Amino acid sequence: RGARSMATQASKRVRATDTPCIVQMQQMLRGREGVLSLAQGIVHWPPPEAALAAGVAAMGERSTSLYGPDDGLPELRAALKEKLRVENGIDGGEVMVTAGANQAYTNVVLSLLDAGDAAALFRPYYFNHLMALQMTGSQLDLWLPPSLPDLQPDIGALRAELEARARGDRPPLRMLTLVNPGNPTGVMIPRGTLDEASRLCASHGVWLVVDNTYEHFEYAGEAPHECVSGEHVINVFSFSKAFGMMGWRVGYVSFPAA
């Protein structure tokens, strides 16, 4: 076949989006033996027995095959709000259940950013976050600063960038994404760093989005996982890792009430 004509090309946004590295690795390893891939976070334990039993029971319920609330079942959302209050210190706000944390993050990007709005990720970043920003048109002004040598976000660099943009050097940042603990680093961000990032974002009118997918993965002797909240803060969570429910595609997002 010849080259695809201009009339039938994919959108510029999609063509500017990176190929997912996990898919690339799967293609490289297809048909190979004796090779272990570390490209994707896949836990070795199954879902909790209670979840499996509830899933089997739900298959026979008529309501499972009907349209449901767009933001998730009310009883699940109520349980998640209680979990957020007790375990994460997030009291109030709203919760939306999504098809995994990646859909939650994409929903957030589509809701908060217009095409071309400036966004920030600290390197090394989670590749799906970059892809979500690319495919929605924010790749034109992405600030991708390196993390500090200990793989913590460089709050000093963030402060300097926000101040420079406030002077009119560049368009203002609209959104900063942090991952806690980091993906791919596994490094936990201490509460003081989260608080300072939140304070800076609030003072400059920047949305702070925190991906807490690995919230239950703590190392002994290290800082525990903590969350920040506020009118400018969005928190993303997932059932995939700690509960071994990768294929179930269940995540949720906690956001301030309108």
Side-chain angles (χ1 to χ4, degrees):
R1 292 182 179 180
R4 185 180 291 273
S5 70
M6 290 295 294
T8 58
Q9 282 188 338
S11 70
K12 292 180 181 178
R13 297 190 313 277
V14 169
R15 284 183 277 139
T17 300
D18 290 357
T19 301
C21 59
I22 288 176
V23 174
Q24 290 179 309
M25 185 60 66
Q26 290 170 341
Q27 292 171 344
M28 288 174 56
L29 297 180
R30 191 168 295 151
R32 298 176 182 269
E33 297 181 358
V35 180
L36 178 65
S37 172
L38 301 179
Q40 190 171 14
I42 302 175
V43 301
H44 61 82
W45 51 85
E49 289 293 332
L52 293 172
V56 171
M59 291 297 292
E61 296 178 5
R62 172 63 176 155
S63 60
T64 302
S65 300
L66 300 177
Y67 290 118
D70 288 343
D71 52 359
L73 297 176
E75 55 268 37
L76 175 57
R77 293 175 57 242
L80 290 173
K81 286 183 178 181
E82 179 65 8
K83 176 264 181 186
L84 289 168
R85 185 186 68 81
V86 173
E87 295 187 17
N88 303 113
I90 300 175
D91 200 0
E94 293 297 333
V95 171
M96 173 179 280
V97 182
T98 59
N102 283 327
Q103 193 219 341
Y105 185 78
T106 301
N107 285 359
V108 169
V109 172
L110 289 170
S111 299
L112 302 185
L113 298 180
D114 291 313
D117 280 350
L121 303 171
F122 279 100
R123 290 180 281 143
Y125 45 75
Y126 175 43
F127 72 95
N128 267 341
H129 290 166
L130 177 65
M131 291 176 61
L133 294 167
Q134 289 172 327
M135 70 176 62
T136 53
S138 288
Q139 79 279 5
L140 299 177
D141 191 357
L142 280 176
W143 183 55
L144 303 173
S147 297
L148 294 169
D150 61 0
L151 300 178
Q152 293 288 341
D154 189 341
I155 299 301
L158 174 62
R159 183 183 298 106
E161 182 72 11
L162 291 173
E163 291 174 352
R165 289 176 180 261
R167 293 193 299 266
D169 295 358
R170 292 180 299 285
L173 276 178
R174 288 279 293 151
M175 190 175 88
L176 167 68
T177 300
L178 298 177
V179 186
N180 189 36
N183 181 358
T185 67
V187 172
M188 194 74 75
I189 303 176
R191 181 58 185 262
T193 302
L194 290 170
D195 285 340
E196 181 63 10
S198 178
R199 187 191 67 77
L200 285 170
C201 286
S203 64
H204 288 271
V206 179
W207 286 101
L208 173 61
V209 180
V210 185
D211 186 334
N212 303 279
T213 291
Y214 289 88
E215 62 173 319
H216 297 103
F217 290 70
E218 300 178 357
Y219 291 95
E222 299 295 332
H225 177 271
E226 296 190 68
C227 289
V228 290
S229 59
E231 294 182 353
H232 63 293
V233 180
I234 310 287
N235 280 285
V236 173
F237 299 87
S238 175
F239 283 81
S240 293
K241 308 304 181 183
F243 300 104
M245 301 173 72
M246 291 80 67
W248 293 49
R249 307 312 304 138
V250 185
Y252 56 103
V253 57
S254 169
F255 56 97

